[in-house]
Amino acid sequence: MTDDRPHLAVIGAGPAGLAATVAAAAHGVRVTLIDSAAQAGGQFYRQPADALNARRPQALHHQWRTWERLNDALAHHVEAGRVTHLTEHHVWLLERGLNDRSGAAGRTAFTVHALLGPGQESPVEVRADAVLLATGGYEKVLPFPGWTLPGVLTAGGAQAMLKGALAVSGRTAVVAGTGPLLLPVATGLAAAGVEVAALVESTDPKAFVRRPRALAAQPGKIAEGAQYAAQLLRHRVTLLTRHAVVEAHGDERLEAVTVAALDTDGRVRPGTERRIACDTLAVGHGMLPHTDLAETLGCRLDGTGVHVDDEQRTDVPGVWAAGETTGIGGAALSLAEGYIAGRSAAARLNGTEPDPSSWAPAAKSRRGLREFFAALDTVYAPPAHWVDLVTDDTVVCRCEEVTGGAIREAVDGLGAGDVRTVKLLTRAGMGWCQGRMCGPAVAGLAGCAFAPSRRPFARPVPLGVLARAGEARDSGEVQQ
């Protein structure tokens, strides 16, 4: 049977994508929710596999009741036929059609190309009248001597292991870097029985005192921070502010780290080095928005992510964006943006003018949270002179095994002044991740601003998939 309801494709099933899906489905729009994970939730609401039989998964999460409401609403809309939830679908390309719903009958505006399953070898296409991007963010990785040792992982990676696999990588951990993510990672590991030897924060959180307006507007965030502080005290975690990990040590795997104090300019203070024994280092330096799919569609970016208006619309007709892809701001902001985007998309796809008063509380929350996280960005920044820690022997691009010395030679000896030229001269960024991981580090060593490269595809695609893409259309593997 033909379903004439307008069709919205939502890419990403984290907080923003779930909120948008539920909001749009509740207002007469047929939604296909597409996500690469086996379960909804994204990183923030990541769930352990059913086979693990977790007895208290809520112990690993904040806002658990919010998750339950979203998950129940999603299940209700799926059962009612208003939402199709496609799991393990890895989107690699979005194509714009020539017509929208006001054009020729039977034509759709967008085609979503995805790779199906863990093997990512079977092509699938989803056609929709509009697209809502809720693709989240990824961690900024900054190299230092020893960072490639087994036992060194990102802060988000440690959290994902704990939430998704109920596993930890060792018995003694150091959590280091900068940013609010370090707090839930440190307390989560400690609650799981890991001895957290130190929480090493490169900035001074007391700098928040100079931003009273942003803090006063978010009392919930202050209470959350106080709760984390209490947990750190209860687990006797040593807090080292204005410190950084300068080297990781070990032969076959991580055995210890050296930390040092930083001066007010972000340089290591000589003579302050100390060695801490550990078998796990969870290190993070903030997040970056996932903008690959938005860029392939030609969406404009601003300094924080995908540019959107008050309705969360991008400057490409028929495309909305919400959550971390528009700027890093946490789950609460993602929920507000997702709700607004879903309501706006539903109204416009149904041919009506949206009523901003219908999402006024979400808009107020969005405004306050954006101000709060803008203040956070000024406080939580990597040390200004982190590049001084990168020795010439330090591997910067892991995919192509390009060292800091090779990049410096490209800049100082061969005249490279941007990431692209460094890539051409050294192969840094030519590997599997296409510079997503090493890009900020290469830009820092080259002394230029980091800007994501516009790529034709959002992820590596087997040539066989490209060859079979037309066959998928003809075989009926298309979600209308």
Side-chain angles (χ1 to χ4, degrees):
M1 297 179 62
T2 301
D3 192 333
D4 291 331
R5 290 175 299 170
H7 185 194
L8 174 68
V10 177
I11 315 298
L18 287 172
T21 296
V22 170
H27 290 83
V29 171
R30 181 166 53 106
V31 181
T32 298
L33 176 61
I34 307 169
D35 193 58
S36 60
Q39 301 181 72
Q43 169 73 346
F44 189 78
Y45 294 125
R46 184 183 293 272
Q47 303 296 305
D50 294 336
L52 295 175
N53 296 317
R55 289 177 295 178
R56 293 192 311 115
Q58 65 270 23
L60 301 173
H61 292 270
H62 293 283
Q63 302 177 11
W64 182 258
R65 291 182 180 178
T66 302
W67 156 249
E68 288 183 318
R69 287 195 296 269
L70 283 171
N71 196 39
D72 290 346
L74 174 65
H76 172 73
H77 288 304
V78 169
E79 185 178 358
R82 291 184 286 268
V83 173
T84 300
H85 183 197
L86 302 180
T87 60
E88 295 187 324
H89 280 60
H90 307 263
V91 178
W92 56 274
L93 179 65
L94 293 175
E95 281 188 303
R96 297 171 61 186
L98 297 178
N99 297 88
D100 57 20
R101 287 184 64 83
S102 63
R107 296 294 299 274
T108 54
F110 297 92
T111 301
V112 182
H113 296 269
L115 302 175
L116 177 62
Q120 301 183 38
E121 294 182 353
S122 301
V124 176
E125 295 177 4
V126 177
R127 296 176 182 172
D129 303 307
V131 172
L132 196 154
L133 301 173
T135 48
Y138 62 101
E139 286 188 271
K140 181 189 294 183
V141 177
L142 301 179
F144 53 89
W147 75 290
T148 58
L149 281 170
V152 180
L153 64 166
T154 66
Q159 188 181 60
M161 285 179 60
L162 190 57
K163 288 182 176 181
L166 305 181
V168 295
S169 66
R171 296 182 177 181
T172 305
V174 169
V175 179
T178 188
L181 179 60
L182 302 186
L183 290 171
V185 171
T187 55
L189 290 174
V194 176
E195 178 188 353
V196 180
L199 172 56
V200 183
E201 169 60 63
S202 63
T203 64
D204 186 355
K206 287 184 292 186
F208 277 124
V209 176
R210 296 191 293 271
R211 293 162 179 82
R213 178 182 172 183
L215 287 176
Q218 299 296 325
K221 292 295 182 182
I222 298 176
E224 185 178 331
Q227 182 182 16
Y228 283 131
Q231 292 180 55
L232 292 176
L233 286 172
R234 185 166 67 250
H235 291 288
R236 298 181 180 179
V237 176
T238 299
L239 175 61
L240 300 174
T241 60
R242 275 196 183 167
H243 280 67
V245 170
V246 298
E247 187 172 359
H249 310 279
D251 294 325
E252 298 299 323
R253 63 165 290 120
L254 179 70
E255 298 172 4
V257 298
T258 294
V259 303
L262 303 174
D263 63 20
T264 55
D265 292 327
R267 291 187 172 90
V268 171
R269 290 168 51 194
T272 63
E273 295 85 353
R274 69 170 84 174
R275 190 179 176 109
I276 302 176
C278 60
D279 54 17
T280 296
L281 171 62
V283 59
H285 291 95
M287 302 279 292
L288 297 169
H290 264 304
T291 59
D292 290 354
L293 292 174
E295 290 179 88
T296 61
L297 288 171
C299 298
R300 179 161 67 95
L301 306 184
D302 55 28
T304 59
V306 180
H307 177 79
V308 292
D309 65 9
D310 289 343
E311 295 182 30
Q312 300 295 137
R313 293 181 297 174
T314 73
D315 57 347
V316 175
V319 180
W320 283 256
E324 310 280 42
T325 191
T326 68
I328 305 303
L333 178 56
S334 294
L335 290 169
E337 291 187 353
Y339 178 78
I340 294 169
R343 289 294 302 266
S344 169
R348 293 195 176 277
L349 284 172
N350 283 316
T352 62
E353 190 71 19
D355 177 14
S357 66
S358 66
W359 61 68
K364 180 180 178 181
S365 175
R366 177 181 62 182
R367 182 170 57 254
L369 287 167
R370 282 180 176 175
E371 291 179 0
F372 177 78
F373 280 96
L376 232 63
D377 287 343
T378 64
V379 174
Y380 288 118
H385 297 277
W386 65 264
V387 294
D388 296 344
L389 302 177
V390 181
T391 65
D392 286 347
D393 294 332
T394 302
V395 173
V396 175
C397 172
R398 299 182 72 165
C399 295
E400 297 293 328
E401 298 185 345
V402 181
T403 64
I407 295 172
R408 288 189 174 105
E409 172 60 23
V411 174
D412 299 332
L414 301 177
D418 56 76
V419 173
R420 183 177 182 276
T421 305
V422 172
K423 178 179 180 179
L424 294 174
L425 293 172
T426 67
R427 296 188 60 83
M430 286 190 179
W432 183 261
C433 81
Q434 285 293 286
R436 291 171 179 84
M437 295 295 104
C438 67
V442 173
L445 288 168
C448 64
F450 172 66
S453 301
R454 184 170 180 175
R455 307 176 180 90
F457 303 149
R459 62 174 60 242
V461 183
L463 290 175
V465 168
L466 297 177
R468 296 196 302 271
E471 299 175 11
R473 259 187 217 96
D474 299 335
S475 65
E477 286 186 274
V478 179
Q479 303 289 330
Q480 295 290 346

